[in-house]
Amino acid sequence: MNDTKSLAHTSWNCKYHIVFAPKYRRKIFYGEHKAEIGKILRELCEWKGVNIIEAEVCPDHIHMLVEIPPKESVSGFMGFLKGKSSILIHERHGNLKYKYGNRSFWCRGYYVDTVGKNAKKISEYIQNQLKEDQLHDQLTLKEYADPFTGSK
């Protein structure tokens, strides 16, 4: 499988695993907001010529496996993606502005990792991330013993 792309004088294969979250890890990605925010992110990636290989919108964060051309820096792309998406989200959903502050929807930071030859494994990880999060949430529910009676 040849993943190499080319520009005028460049051959490249730049894939990145990116994770970012809304401010305060609010669980906003439920129901209609999940589909709408995914649509906005796809639209913005098309504007910059970034190919989304795999993406998953989890309840409180987003995983993306993307191909970013070498003419675009990862930090420049993330600044564009988070800034423009925040503006578009607040324009299309005016009520979110009052809940989540004026034009500040995303956390300041993000996680990025180069993929290299592990693209298939990371793609599988992103596909299964939502299931793993749900399973982890179920496993972390603990029934605490009452310290005064000694019973559960």
Side-chain angles (χ1 to χ4, degrees), residues 16-149:
Y16 301 95
H17 177 210
I18 299 172
V19 181
F20 55 102
K23 263 195 170 180
Y24 312 116
R25 301 284 286 207
R26 290 188 172 115
K27 297 183 187 269
I28 184 67
F29 303 124
Y30 284 119
E32 74 277 357
H33 296 304
K34 178 179 178 175
E36 181 67 24
I37 290 170
K39 183 179 172 185
I40 289 170
L41 294 177
R42 279 191 299 277
E43 182 181 328
L44 293 174
C45 286
E46 287 176 14
W47 287 1
K48 284 288 188 176
V50 172
N51 181 28
I52 300 174
I53 299 169
E54 194 70 45
E56 184 65 56
V57 179
C58 297
D60 63 347
H61 62 285
I62 294 179
H63 286 269
M64 295 177 78
L65 178 61
V66 293
E67 283 182 328
I68 301 175
K71 64 183 179 180
E72 181 78 39
S73 72
V74 177
S75 62
F77 169 71
M78 286 306 296
F80 167 79
L81 185 69
K82 289 168 65 175
K84 278 292 190 192
S85 65
S86 184
I87 290 170
L88 291 174
I89 288 166
H90 286 298
E91 281 179 359
R92 295 180 187 178
H93 301 284
N95 59 340
L96 292 179
K97 179 169 46 176
Y98 301 108
K99 276 186 179 177
Y100 302 115
N102 191 16
R103 303 266 189 237
S104 57
F105 185 77
W106 303 108
C107 286
R108 286 180 49 190
Y110 58 92
Y111 169 81
V112 65
D113 189 13
T114 56
V115 172
K117 301 296 180 186
N118 299 326
K120 190 174 186 181
K121 199 68 170 163
I122 292 174
S123 180
E124 290 172 7
Y125 169 77
I126 291 172
Q127 289 172 358
N128 296 322
Q129 184 61 38
L130 190 57
K131 290 181 234 169
E132 288 178 19
D133 282 351
Q134 289 170 348
L135 181 64
H136 184 267
D137 285 345
Q138 290 175 355
L139 292 175
T140 57
L141 295 176
K142 295 180 181 175
E143 293 186 29
Y144 295 100
D146 186 359
F148 300 107
T149 63

